[in-house]
Amino acid sequence: MSDRLLVEARGLTKTYPARNGTPPFHAVKGIDFELARGEAFGFLGPNGAGKSSTMRMLAAISPVSSGSLSVLGLDPAGDGPEIRARIGVVPQDDCLDRELTVRENLYVYGRYFGLKKQMINERIVGLLAFAQLEEKADAQVEMLSGGMRRRLTIARSLINEPEILLLDEPTTGLDPQARHVLWERLYRLKHDGVTLIITTHYMDEAEQLCDRLVVMDGGKIVAVGSPRELIETNITREVLELRFPVNAHAQIGERIRDAALGERTEVLPDRVAVYADDGEEALAQVHAMSLEPITALVRRATLEDVFLKLTGRSLID
Amino acid sequence: MIATGWTLRRTGSLVERNALIYRRSLTPVLSSIVEPVLYLLSIGIGVGALVGKVAGVDVRYAAYVAPGILATTAMNAAFNQTCFAVFTRMKTDHSYDAIVPTPLSVADIALGEVLSAVISGLFASIGFVLVMLVLGLVVSPDILLAIPGTLLVGYAFAAGGLAVTTYMRDFSDFQFTQLVMLPMFLFATTFYPLTVYPHWLRPLIEILPLYQCIEILREPALGIFHWDILVAVIYLAVFGSLALALATRRLSRQLLA
Ligand SMILES: Nc1ncnc2c1ncn2[C@@H]1O[C@H](COP(=O)(O)OP(=O)(O)O)[C@@H](O)[C@H]1O
Ligand SMILES: [Mg+2]
């Protein structure tokens, strides 16, 4: 493997063994990807896509079932402790020590990495500033808001100055304002040259943070590229979203589909989506059919639309 | 498997974490002393007033019973910690999800939890011995030898508790452990000598780990020494180590799925 590549996966598979009655489960079904130093790389997919399973294999805490995986040029099967010493992990749940203070959480984590007390205390100063938690340094974690806990979890994962930072759904469950603060912090890390691997089921998050991403569904990769490439190659520039009265919805939806407006029409349970490079023009055509939608919205196509097209399902159920 | 081997430094970092948590409150140590002290008062001193002396031992009944209850104190303090506290960390707090991605191995985690529990058992034991002292139930300075003995008691039951925890599905499953722990407390010669039992029953009692714990604590506490104490030492060391190996194996499968 070339030395620019930090991670290389070929035919990577995760199969959870059968357990009292349940058959073996194929969570990751042979995926290929690679990652260069300094990149922000994303796994976008709905719940159950196999994102966390992939992340756990990358962190050398879940054995690879088949295929090959190299992380930092090392083999997770044999060099687990060395890999883990050089990466940072933000698990899907915060898993903080709630009984301890913010500072103690950082301190304890540094000790796991064998860092000397003095070095940890030096790093804590910078990490508290990074996480904007200086005022909360001696507060018990129990007392923190969700956003603060998430920032602390990220600060904690940086205590060993990792070369790769793995973030599993970093903003799930946070309110919009807390998400923006967090994105801004992650942006800063990226700017400082930390390689980021992020999983998310939010397309806006993937668009905001990732230079390159894979779209995962049912344990497989269904598309690879930058957010822009994925949209350009898979979907039109704009989307026209129409809502009609519930009882007429299906029938009108069918009429619009038959009229073949734009490139493609999706009749979703709650709305009709017309994919067209010019949404306004498509709307004019709808009006020309003397249809009166309750609401009509023209917006830019997003990764959500890409996902819908590739898998026939929404990202968030 | 991915995580093998342990180092003192890595194991120590988990012990340090637990110490930071436990030093926040004395309540767990105090509460693990309250129950045994109540037994000591009600049975040792209360019932003891009716009993007189145990044949062949030249001390009052309460002084005879106290080291037995001391063994139970160390046992429960250590056992409860690797049972309830560790189970909570596994199932409720998901603490280990943040620890396995660090250089700590599962062996480090298992041993670290066991050592933390041993330390709790030691503190509870020291507290209980102080109560014995206040009540005038310390009859020999050799009781100082019983203190390191409680480390071994703690080790055996902390490791045993950790192994048990890997089989638990939810908190109510722990009621089954009480079905074993309570009868063992009552019948493993805590309150009377082995000679009370008929000959055929004695080996069944001697096989109980708590019996062996009482063996290594009662003799020094009463200022007696027999070589058979070494049997108990070996028994508990082997028992604890087998349980720790089993627990580590099963935890590996659960934490590194
Ligand atoms: N330890 C496990 N044992 C068995 N099945 C699992 C285990 N962990 C995850 N799975 C299953 O694997 C699938 C993918 O899970 P996961 O990787 O967590 O997906 P995601 O993070 O994308 O939501 C899910 O259907 C989940 O139920
Ligand atoms: Mg997940």
Side-chain angles (χ1 to χ4, degrees):
Chain A
M1 103 172 206
S2 95
D3 29 287
R4 261 189 70 251
L5 288 186
L6 279 195
V7 176
E8 190 170 24
R10 294 284 165 255
L12 183 62
T13 304
K14 182 71 207 183
T15 303
Y16 293 106
R19 193 171 286 170
N20 38 14
T22 60
F25 186 82
H26 303 285
V28 179
K29 299 172 181 163
I31 60 173
D32 301 313
F33 59 91
E34 63 274 322
L35 175 71
R37 194 174 284 279
E39 240 186 326
F41 185 78
F43 289 93
L44 175 69
N47 280 331
K51 305 183 298 293
S52 295
S53 299
T54 306
M55 288 294 243
R56 288 166 49 80
M57 288 191 280
L58 285 169
I61 53 180
S62 173
V64 169
S65 302
S66 73
S68 72
L69 177 65
S70 112
V71 179
L72 296 165
L74 300 165
D75 175 8
D79 311 317
E82 193 185 343
I83 292 175
R84 295 196 298 270
R86 292 169 58 190
I87 64 172
V89 173
V90 177
Q92 193 167 341
D93 302 315
D94 290 330
C95 316
L96 292 161
D97 290 324
R98 280 182 287 114
E99 310 92 324
L100 298 181
T101 65
V102 168
R103 189 190 301 280
E104 285 169 336
N105 265 275
L106 295 170
Y107 172 78
V108 161
Y109 219 65
R111 298 296 281 168
Y112 295 154
F113 287 89
L115 303 177
K116 295 262 184 310
K117 293 185 188 191
Q118 201 202 331
M119 172 172 282
I120 298 175
N121 287 329
E122 282 167 19
R123 288 189 185 174
I124 284 177
V125 176
L127 290 173
L128 286 174
F130 169 79
Q132 296 162 330
L133 286 172
E134 287 136 313
E135 257 119 75
K136 298 283 178 185
D138 296 304
Q140 227 164 301
V141 166
E142 196 87 62
M143 307 296 153
L144 302 186
S145 69
M148 290 178 183
R149 285 186 199 188
R150 210 63 190 147
R151 298 205 299 273
L152 175 57
T153 309
I154 294 173
R156 181 179 70 174
S157 72
L158 295 169
I159 194 89
N160 59 324
E161 302 192 331
E163 292 168 61
I164 309 178
L165 186 59
L166 304 176
L167 299 126
D168 199 356
E169 306 209 3
T171 66
T172 299
L174 298 186
D175 61 57
Q177 200 197 334
R179 294 180 73 203
H180 282 281
V181 174
L182 214 79
W183 285 347
E184 187 270 319
R185 295 289 91 185
L186 293 176
Y187 236 84
R188 168 83 144 263
L189 284 180
K190 197 173 132 178
H191 184 260
D192 293 344
V194 181
T195 306
L196 301 178
I197 305 183
I198 299 159
T199 77
T200 183
H201 60 238
Y202 295 120
M203 50 88 193
D204 53 348
E205 182 156 278
E207 283 175 351
Q208 288 274 338
L209 295 175
C210 302
D211 302 322
R212 212 157 57 81
L213 56 96
V214 296
V215 181
M216 268 187 101
D217 186 41
K220 293 199 184 105
I221 290 179
V222 292
V224 197
S226 70
R228 171 180 281 273
E229 280 165 6
L230 283 168
I231 293 168
E232 278 173 3
T233 53
N234 289 290
I235 212 102
T236 55
R237 211 167 57 82
E238 291 185 339
V239 188
L240 167 64
E241 288 191 334
L242 303 163
R243 281 170 216 269
F244 293 99
V246 179
N247 48 6
H249 172 83
Q251 186 224 333
I252 297 177
E254 214 134 296
R255 272 186 64 196
I256 295 176
R257 189 166 35 211
D258 293 342
L261 308 181
E263 273 188 21
R264 205 163 54 86
T265 300
E266 288 275 357
V267 184
L268 299 163
D270 60 333
R271 65 203 140 107
V272 178
V274 179
Y275 291 88
D277 282 323
D278 186 342
E280 290 298 342
E281 189 193 308
L283 181 59
Q285 287 172 305
V286 169
H287 285 144
M289 292 165 73
S290 42
L291 292 172
E292 285 303 325
I294 305 172
T295 61
L297 168 75
V298 175
R299 59 167 176 82
R300 291 183 67 87
T302 66
L303 286 173
E304 174 87 47
D305 301 299
V306 174
F307 189 82
L308 184 69
K309 181 184 170 198
L310 292 174
T311 67
R313 301 192 295 119
S314 314
L315 268 168
I316 304 173
D317 355 287
Chain B
M1 203 58 237
I2 292 176
T4 46
W6 61 276
T7 71
L8 198 58
R9 191 210 36 81
R10 295 193 311 232
T11 301
S13 68
L14 190 70
V15 175
E16 192 180 357
R17 166 205 186 259
N18 288 344
L20 277 179
I21 292 176
Y22 294 137
R23 77 162 187 204
R24 287 222 122 68
S25 102
L26 270 176
T27 321
V29 169
L30 287 181
S31 69
S32 59
I33 300 175
V34 170
E35 195 182 293
V37 167
L38 294 180
Y39 277 108
L40 184 62
L41 294 175
S42 66
I43 298 184
I45 296 181
V47 178
L50 306 173
V51 174
K53 283 180 182 170
V54 174
V57 191
D58 192 27
V59 296
R60 40 192 289 228
Y61 179 71
Y64 174 83
V65 168
I69 301 179
L70 172 64
T72 316
T73 306
M75 166 179 91
N76 281 331
F79 186 80
N80 287 340
Q81 206 169 105
T82 49
C83 281
F84 299 105
V86 169
F87 193 73
T88 306
R89 279 173 205 152
M90 279 178 78
K91 299 286 154 114
T92 315
D93 298 347
H94 303 285
S95 308
Y96 303 119
D97 287 358
I99 301 177
V100 286
T102 72
L104 265 65
S105 67
V106 173
D108 293 317
I109 295 175
L111 187 60
E113 290 294 359
V114 166
L115 291 183
S116 305
V118 169
I119 293 170
S120 295
L122 177 68
F123 283 144
S125 301
I126 291 173
F128 187 80
V129 169
L130 290 177
V131 174
M132 286 170 62
L133 194 66
V134 169
L135 294 175
L137 298 176
V138 170
V139 294
S140 162
D142 291 357
I143 195 160
L144 288 176
L145 290 174
I147 299 288
T150 62
L151 292 177
L152 204 51
V153 172
Y155 174 65
F157 277 98
L162 192 64
V164 166
T165 297
T166 64
Y167 287 93
M168 298 291 115
R169 292 157 303 178
D170 51 46
F171 277 99
S172 62
D173 276 353
F174 282 108
Q175 283 166 3
F176 292 110
T177 67
Q178 290 315 307
L179 287 181
V180 177
M181 298 299 276
L182 183 64
M184 187 158 71
F185 165 59
L186 292 174
F187 296 110
T189 72
T190 315
F191 299 107
Y192 42 74
L194 187 65
T195 48
V196 164
Y197 292 108
H199 281 280
W200 62 267
L201 192 56
R202 291 181 193 173
L204 277 177
I205 300 296
E206 286 175 297
I207 231 167
L208 295 173
L210 181 58
Y211 173 85
Q212 303 292 336
C213 295
I214 294 172
E215 282 287 287
I216 63 167
L217 300 189
R218 183 169 276 154
E219 290 191 357
L222 301 181
I224 312 168
F225 183 81
H226 284 125
W227 282 106
D228 58 7
I229 203 171
L230 288 179
V231 175
V233 168
I234 292 168
Y235 174 106
L236 291 178
V238 171
F239 179 90
S241 300
L242 289 177
L244 180 59
L246 175 69
T248 306
R249 225 176 93 95
R250 290 182 54 83
L251 274 179
S252 290
R253 248 182 281 152
Q254 291 168 14
L255 297 180
L256 307 176

